[in-house]
Each structure stands twice: as C-alpha cells, then as structure tokens.
Amino acid sequence: MSAARDKANRRISSLKSLLCVGLDTDPEKLPSVFSRFSNPVLEFNRSVIRATRDYAAAYKINTAFYEARGIEGFRDMEATLMEIPSECLSIADAKRADIGNTSRMYARAFFEHWAFDSVTVAPYMGHDSLEPFFSYSDKLVFVLCLTSNAGSMDFEEQQLVEGLPLYRRVLERVAVWGAGGNGGVVVGATKSALLADIRKDAPGLFFLIPGVGAQGGSLEEAVDLGVDANRQGALVNISRSLIYPSGDFRDVAAYEAAVSMEAGRVHAAMRSAL
C-alpha cells in the first residue's frame, strides 16, 4: 500500500468525504473581486482552498491551465501546491506518458521537483511508458481508463478482436502494474452504468471519478458505485460547478462563503451515500 493511498484513505474515513476539488483555474473566469490582487490566480486558488479545506479529501491541479501561461503559470502551480493541506492528497492532472526515458523525466518532475502525491497518465504507449511512474511505490498513478467525455467512444469503448472493449484491457493491465498498491484508474461519472462492473473487476484499484457537476454525472452513483469494499478507495472530482459559483460577490469573503456552502452541500450528500 502506497503512502499516498494511505493518506487519501485516512482523509476519506476521517471526513466521510470523497471530494476532490479541481483547480482548473481559468484567469478569464475569475470573479471580478480578484482583479484587485497583483496575482489573481494564486489568490483565487488560496480562496478556494480556504473555503473547501474542511470538506476536501484531495485537490487536483489541472496543469494545462498553468502551462498555458508559461513561467508565471508554473510559478502559480508551484505556489498553489504548497497551499494544499498536508492531510489532503495532491493530484497533478497532467495526463503524461511517453517512451521510457521521457516518462522518467515526467515522473521526476511531478513526483520529485513538485512532489505531488499522484499524477494522471495515458496508457496507450504501453507498460514501458508508465513503468517510470509506477516505480514510485509511495505515490498514486491514475491511468486513464473510461473517461467522461463523448470522445471516449472513439478508442476507449472500441471492441478488441477478442470482444473486450479497450478500456477493459487497460483495467486488466493497471491491476497488474499497480499490484503494489499504487495503481489507480480514471473512470468518468457519466459512465455510471458501467462503474459498478469496473469496480467489481478492479477491487484493489483506487478510482478517480471526474464528470460530476458541469458534465452532469450523478454524485450519489459515483460515490456508491465507485468506492471499494471498505467504502474508501475513490475520489469524486468537482471543478467548475464548485469553484465558479454564479453571482456577483462584493468581496472575497462573499465568494468564499458561496464556495463553502456548495462544498458543504456536496459533502453532506457524500456522507449520506457512504
């Protein structure tokens, strides 16, 4: 069992929450109250973390929103990572993978330079492209399996020659690669009809479940069908519907109150489902 997995499960059990807060911070969507700051993205992220830290088991930084802004974005990502409470799992949503020597550099970047607890990776270059990530036994590696977007039908749900859909083959391989306890898969909440079967076939993997909120996935089904036999082993990510509440906010405190209220509502629903 990896240290990162242990940390996540302790937090889940302590809070009775699977909430993963997605920090998909788009400078163009920030409430106007943050424009007064010299670094609005970082102040926004700090506010989100303050408003959700009593409810969150994890925080997921979508690296694309930071990479797009060059060196300043990377600085904001690094500073945001340092703001995440130590008891919460940190996830680099980077979706990396390449030939072995390149993946070793990616793994070193996210697990050593920035010291995230976990990272998302893409499986389609095979085991040698992911082994450098799995070699970090104390971390968690979330492999894209059955994602929440419509394009999952283009490859993930295509039938292989032997009749299995491709995502099932991914699931089988990750169960082997992550046998030491550091393996996980990304399974979209919009695929709830398949989620129970995927969990049945992969009882030992940790699930990262996006697609609740703006994408329309069911929170209750994601929680009930995604957890393992100990009612742990899963995180439900919510991003846009949580961090961008509607309304005009007179100050940062009003914004944080709105985010905290929504996070509390989500937490209450998760407690009931658990």
Side-chain angles (χ1 to χ4, degrees):
M1 190 72 72
S2 75
R5 183 180 183 128
D6 282 344
K7 178 165 80 168
N9 279 334
R10 285 196 303 271
R11 184 69 170 172
I12 290 167
S13 293
S14 173
L15 291 185
K16 299 299 181 187
S17 174
L18 307 183
L19 176 59
C20 175
V21 177
L23 294 170
D24 302 359
T25 307
D26 183 344
E28 296 183 1
K29 293 183 178 180
L30 302 188
S32 60
V33 294
F34 291 96
S35 63
R36 70 189 67 169
F37 295 102
S38 60
N39 191 335
V41 167
L42 182 56
E43 291 303 325
F44 174 83
N45 287 349
R46 285 171 171 161
S47 286
V48 171
I49 292 169
R50 281 195 298 267
T52 59
R53 63 183 302 151
D54 290 339
Y55 308 109
Y59 290 87
K60 181 172 71 64
I61 294 179
N62 189 323
T63 63
F65 287 86
Y66 302 85
E67 294 173 68
R69 297 172 46 237
I71 190 63
E72 293 302 322
F74 276 118
R75 287 173 178 152
D76 285 344
M77 185 179 79
E78 184 169 72
T80 298
L81 179 61
M82 295 176 66
E83 296 284 338
I84 294 174
S86 60
E87 63 271 20
C88 296
L89 191 78
S90 58
I91 305 172
D93 189 4
K95 301 181 178 71
R96 297 296 202 274
D98 208 322
I99 60 173
N101 63 334
T102 305
S103 277
R104 278 193 293 276
M105 295 300 106
Y106 281 139
R108 185 181 298 177
F110 291 109
F111 287 158
E112 294 185 31
H113 179 80
W114 285 303
F116 281 92
D117 296 316
S118 58
V119 68
T120 60
V121 296
Y124 299 115
M125 288 182 68
H127 178 252
D128 60 321
S129 71
L130 298 188
E131 191 280 331
F133 298 97
F134 280 106
S135 70
Y136 288 79
S137 60
D138 58 331
K139 303 293 187 175
L140 264 174
V141 182
F142 291 108
V143 182
L144 300 179
C145 182
L146 183 59
T147 53
S148 56
N149 61 310
S152 67
M153 296 184 65
D154 291 338
F155 296 106
E156 296 168 1
E157 298 183 55
Q158 289 297 304
Q159 300 293 310
L160 301 176
V161 172
E162 61 267 38
L164 284 176
L166 180 56
Y167 76 85
R168 288 282 181 177
R169 176 56 56 80
V170 171
L171 193 68
E172 290 175 357
R173 301 314 299 160
V174 177
V176 174
W177 301 336
N182 64 342
V185 287
V186 178
V187 182
T190 56
K191 311 293 184 178
S192 59
L194 301 170
L195 187 53
D197 286 340
I198 294 173
R199 171 49 83 189
K200 180 181 177 182
D201 291 343
L205 293 181
F206 206 107
F207 282 21
L208 176 60
I209 308 173
V212 168
Q215 295 183 64
S218 165
L219 174 63
E220 290 76 13
E221 289 181 348
V223 172
D224 186 50
L225 301 177
V227 292
D228 62 18
N230 297 318
R231 309 301 283 176
Q232 299 173 331
L235 294 165
V236 177
N237 183 77
I238 303 179
S239 300
R240 286 170 288 172
S241 64
L242 176 59
I243 69 175
Y244 300 128
S246 60
D248 295 322
F249 305 104
R250 64 183 181 278
D251 52 30
V252 170
Y255 166 77
E256 290 183 14
V259 173
S260 183
M261 181 178 297
E262 176 61 13
R265 184 195 69 79
V266 169
H267 180 217
M270 286 180 169
R271 288 180 64 94
S272 296
L274 285 172

